[in-house]
Amino acid sequence: MNTISRELGKIRFLILADFRVQMLFRLGILIQLLNVTIAAASYYFLTTLFHGSSEVMKRYSTDVVSYILLGLTMNPIFTTSLVGFISALETTYVSRALERIMMAPTSPYSLFFSRMANGYITSIIAALLYLAIGIAVFRVRLGTGNPLAVLLILLLGAIATIAVGMLLAQVFFYTYTGKGSGGSVVIFVQGFMSVFTGATFPIEVLPTPLRWISAMLPQTHAIRAARLVLAGRAIFDTVIIQDLLFLIGFCMVMLPVGVWLMRKGLEHMRKEGYSPQPRFATARRFG
Amino acid sequence: MKIAVAAEQVSKVYRIRETYDGPPTRRLLMARFLFGETFKGVVTVREKKVVNNLNLSLAEGDVMALLGPNGAGKSTLLEMIATGLTPDEGRITVNGYDTVRQRDQAKLFITPIFPMFGAQNMWTARQNLEYAALLHNIPRPEMISRIDKILSVIGLAARADELVMRFSTGMRVRLILGMGLMIDAPIYLMDEPFIGIDPHMAIEIRSFLKEQIINRGRSVLLATNVLEDVEHLCNKAALICEGRLVTCGTLQQLKSNLHHNDTIRLEVTRLNGTSESLLDSLRQLTETRNVTLSAQNGLSHFQLLTSDSRGCLPGIIEIIQKGGGEIRHVQVMKPSLADVFLTYTGHHLM
């Protein structure tokens, strides 16, 4: 218990310290706020082309604008869960904070979670902004479902996605070059997420083979369940129960695997050293 | 005496990736397209043993220099002792705790001062000190009482709440040392702590280290290739070259182990043709070797090596005076650590 509260104290310190740094660039924060507004507006004007509704949308008891803005609200939380570890690893590796913490009697997870917490804070602020702008300006309909149940589903989805994030972090452990390899992965994953998780359009419009990819991702299940609950469906609805069971099963299997892989990855760094060079390169002649 | 750090037959191998020019074929062009224009064609990975079968022990209260040229393996050894890296072979213990199997316990005894990790530039000095204390589980009340004391010790009290990015190099070095003092575990591991600071500041920081760390009985392993740091701060030195421990001992032992201890230089006038016979007489003296003579502007310069300058100097003076020479200047030089290093390894330190 003592250890947990001590580590939480460290996370709190790091979050506040990073927050103070962000406050040094207030203009940047204002620009981010402006970006959210512009993104919401551009999606709104784009969706007016489709007359606001479609057959697929009826399943979610919503219109296209509300569907997209709700997706934009949830998406950053899952993105942070997914890329949090790899981004934290890369930034702490480049600043050499990772090396320092490997020598200290502190869990590296305190460092990773503090970085992720900052991502979550930004995501939640962005989510609230999307909602506020959506409701006030674009008359988004949120639905009449239980908001607490939605939050719990999102939390479960975020935890399941963290497990995927731990798998994704392995890319860094085995390829770190100090040239922003993690950054490229983050950009790729963000693009991938926007297509396959049903955040910006329903997965029902994807070709059947691609829907299989969607079905494998915990975010898809979390976003769908959250949407359906918000649309007023009962939590015991078959589709929602299936989604929740998937998420629980995913967490039970993938979280221990993710934690194990993270431990192996950190040991790998301790063994291979911290020099920036690809570790997978083998003696091979091209040409 | 209790052993603070012991390394037993420790080795560390790094895999180094190298590229060479290959013949310009289609596959090479494709590889360049994928990996970038700097890709030369052939990639090889060779293994380099950066620490090689090294044995070392640091007793409690000792201040030992790890002396060696760049790339000798000093930093890797320190990182292994600090638990940041695991040895590929051998075993390291810190206060009796194995740095791999009992890593958590071993960490509690270590104060790592690695200036290359730097301080957080966008934080204040106070935040950096607090961060160091938090990472090393210093209880909050103790941390608060230590911060102000250390800020005044490192001379940054007036700028405690200023961003580190506005600090000069010397101030940053002092801050990093301050972060070490916040931890203040009994074994200090320091990797080139004076890098990038001017000689005046180096003197100030050396005396600071002596007062705040060494005089309080802390054990210190100091990796450096700056001899002045070693002479001023350390009582022992371990010479490392190409990952191997060449020799280890007190500074006095290392110097006295050399075949010649001292170099004697004499500036003599009025020799007038007797120099060759003088040289022969000097060579006859026991305890002297490599006697040489050079002449410039009417002055003769004798240089000789001896293991006992105090014992043979009267004899040398007598021979020169008997030969009609007038001694203008005598210089006795003790061997430096650079001489020790050169003798043992055949390499210069830098």
Side-chain angles (χ1 to χ4, degrees):
Chain A
M1 200 63 196
N2 245 352
T3 312
I4 293 172
S5 67
R6 207 166 52 203
E7 294 303 313
L8 285 175
K10 292 171 190 176
I11 293 172
R12 183 177 154 271
F13 170 84
L14 288 165
I15 291 170
L16 287 175
D18 278 347
F19 181 72
R20 282 183 202 125
V21 172
Q22 283 181 7
M23 282 295 114
L24 294 172
F25 304 104
R26 291 185 190 89
L27 185 63
I29 295 168
L30 281 175
I31 290 170
Q32 278 181 23
L33 298 183
L34 205 60
N35 275 343
V36 169
T37 316
I38 290 168
S42 58
Y43 276 109
Y44 171 77
F45 294 123
L46 188 68
T47 51
T48 54
L49 291 173
F50 311 114
H51 309 293
S53 189
S54 77
E55 278 304 306
V56 185
M57 288 299 139
K58 281 178 187 157
R59 197 178 158 200
Y60 295 95
S61 313
T62 190
D63 56 87
V64 178
V65 180
S66 304
Y67 185 95
I68 291 178
L69 279 178
L70 204 55
L72 289 178
T73 306
M74 292 188 271
N75 205 27
I77 294 164
F78 292 116
T79 306
T80 305
S81 307
L82 190 64
V83 300
F85 272 107
I86 193 163
S87 302
L89 272 167
E90 186 170 80
T91 50
T92 55
Y93 168 75
V94 171
S95 67
R96 302 193 80 165
L98 184 60
E99 257 173 285
R100 184 193 289 273
I101 216 160
M102 297 283 258
M103 297 177 186
T106 288
S107 165
Y109 287 95
S110 299
L111 194 63
F112 303 149
F113 283 132
S114 69
R115 299 270 166 193
M116 284 173 78
N118 276 310
Y120 282 122
I121 291 168
T122 315
S123 307
I124 289 165
I125 292 170
L128 293 175
L129 265 172
Y130 273 123
L131 278 184
I133 294 166
I135 293 167
V137 184
F138 305 116
R139 292 175 192 162
V140 164
R141 286 184 287 132
L142 275 187
T144 53
N146 181 352
L148 187 65
V150 173
L151 284 179
L152 287 175
I153 291 168
L154 290 180
L155 183 67
L156 186 61
I159 294 169
T161 312
I162 283 175
V164 186
M166 287 175 173
L167 304 188
L168 196 64
Q170 304 308 307
V171 175
F172 172 81
F173 284 128
Y174 296 95
T175 64
Y176 57 94
T177 63
K179 289 178 185 169
S181 55
S184 326
V185 172
V186 168
I187 291 166
F188 170 75
V189 165
Q190 281 170 339
F192 190 84
M193 289 256 299
S194 66
V195 176
F196 288 102
T197 58
T200 44
F201 57 84
I203 56 165
E204 285 83 349
V205 301
L206 288 172
T208 312
L210 294 183
R211 273 189 238 168
W212 280 102
I213 299 174
S214 295
M216 303 294 287
L217 301 170
Q219 303 96 303
T220 311
H221 297 273
I223 290 173
R224 182 169 56 199
R227 281 187 195 283
L228 291 176
V229 169
L230 211 54
R233 291 243 201 136
I235 195 113
F236 297 112
D237 185 286
T238 319
V239 180
I240 297 172
I241 287 290
Q242 279 174 355
D243 283 335
L244 291 181
L245 284 177
F246 177 90
L247 289 174
I248 292 166
F250 196 90
C251 285
M252 285 169 67
V253 176
M254 298 309 289
L255 265 183
V257 173
V259 170
W260 182 75
L261 284 174
M262 283 295 290
R263 195 160 60 210
K264 295 287 282 182
L266 290 168
E267 279 310 312
H268 177 81
M269 287 197 92
R270 274 203 167 94
K271 185 165 168 47
E272 294 290 320
Y274 305 90
S275 307
Q277 53 174 316
R279 301 294 169 184
F280 57 86
T282 52
R284 186 176 168 193
R285 183 174 284 275
F286 285 85
Chain B
M1 189 170 271
K2 200 176 169 194
I3 299 297
V5 176
E8 295 162 22
Q9 306 203 309
V10 171
S11 294
K12 183 77 197 166
V13 177
Y14 279 149
R15 287 192 287 158
I16 314 283
R17 178 182 174 273
E18 291 169 331
T19 60
Y20 305 99
D21 281 320
T25 60
R26 240 171 67 183
R27 288 178 71 181
L28 171 63
L29 291 175
M30 178 60 80
R32 280 213 175 121
F33 178 73
L34 289 173
F35 301 127
E37 281 304 306
T38 52
F39 185 79
K40 289 179 176 173
V42 181
V43 181
T44 59
V45 177
R46 72 179 168 87
E47 293 199 331
K48 187 186 177 194
K49 218 167 194 175
V50 281
V51 175
N52 193 351
N53 214 19
L54 190 139
N55 290 296
L56 187 79
S57 85
L58 175 79
E60 239 177 37
D62 268 352
V63 182
M64 183 186 279
L66 291 177
L67 199 56
N70 296 332
K74 307 182 295 283
S75 300
T76 305
L77 178 63
L78 281 188
E79 280 204 63
M80 283 194 287
I81 296 168
T83 75
L85 290 171
T86 49
D88 289 318
E89 289 165 25
R91 178 172 182 258
I92 298 173
T93 56
V94 171
N95 242 29
Y97 293 107
D98 190 294
T99 53
V100 178
R101 278 174 294 169
Q102 297 164 299
R103 188 181 290 147
D104 291 343
Q105 290 97 317
K107 280 177 179 178
L108 300 176
F109 295 92
I110 294 168
T111 300
I113 298 182
F114 290 72
M116 59 191 174
F117 297 166
Q120 297 280 344
N121 280 337
M122 299 304 291
W123 293 0
T124 63
R126 191 185 296 279
Q127 280 178 308
N128 272 288
L129 293 177
E130 199 175 332
Y131 178 56
L134 277 172
L135 285 189
H136 289 263
N137 301 330
I138 309 296
R140 192 160 181 82
E142 198 178 334
M143 174 180 85
I144 291 165
S145 73
R146 266 194 216 177
I147 284 180
D148 286 332
K149 190 177 155 202
I150 287 170
L151 278 169
S152 75
V153 164
I154 59 177
L156 293 176
R159 302 183 70 172
D161 298 307
E162 210 172 295
L163 291 184
V164 172
M165 67 185 300
R166 296 190 188 127
F167 284 12
S168 68
T169 312
M171 288 162 74
R172 281 170 208 231
V173 171
R174 277 185 282 155
L175 176 61
I176 286 162
L177 292 173
M179 288 165 77
L181 284 175
M182 279 302 293
I183 303 162
D184 200 33
I187 301 163
Y188 276 71
L189 304 176
M190 300 188 192
D191 191 8
E192 308 272 9
F194 307 119
I195 224 151
I197 57 170
D198 60 64
H200 173 73
M201 184 59 71
I203 293 168
E204 201 177 291
I205 287 174
R206 271 186 218 122
S207 73
F208 169 81
L209 281 180
K210 208 150 197 167
E211 269 172 41
Q212 298 296 327
I213 297 169
I214 297 168
N215 291 351
R216 290 193 301 125
R218 299 306 195 214
S219 312
V220 180
L221 259 181
L222 168 72
T224 183
N225 54 16
V226 181
L227 295 170
E228 275 181 280
D229 296 346
V230 184
E231 299 274 9
H232 282 90
L233 299 171
C234 304
N235 63 333
K236 285 185 178 171
L239 274 51
I240 297 178
C241 190
E242 292 169 357
R244 289 175 186 276
L245 179 71
V246 180
T247 186
C248 181
T250 64
L251 302 190
Q252 198 52 45
Q253 276 170 350
L254 291 174
K255 289 172 187 175
S256 61
N257 283 349
L258 293 187
H259 295 304
H260 67 273
N261 262 0
D262 306 335
T263 303
I264 300 177
R265 283 184 189 155
L266 300 110
E267 200 176 282
V268 181
T269 55
R270 299 182 190 171
L271 276 176
N272 297 333
T274 57
S275 56
E276 284 307 315
S277 61
L278 261 179
L279 264 180
D280 287 339
S281 306
L282 288 173
R283 281 173 184 146
Q284 301 297 316
L285 281 174
T286 54
E287 304 287 335
T288 60
R289 288 181 316 283
N290 294 12
V291 185
T292 58
L293 169 68
S294 60
Q296 200 176 18
N297 302 331
L299 290 171
S300 302
H301 298 271
F302 289 92
Q303 180 172 302
L304 49 89
L305 303 177
T306 175
S307 55
D308 179 18
S309 57
R310 199 177 282 270
C312 71
L313 196 56
I316 294 168
I317 292 169
E318 192 184 335
I319 290 169
I320 291 172
Q321 284 175 341
K322 271 187 184 169
E326 187 180 302
I327 298 169
R328 295 267 302 266
H329 184 69
V330 179
Q331 190 181 13
V332 179
M333 290 183 298
K334 295 283 178 193
S336 69
L337 280 170
D339 297 326
V340 175
F341 197 86
L342 185 62
T343 307
Y344 275 104
T345 66
H347 296 284
H348 288 281
L349 257 173
M350 301 300 268

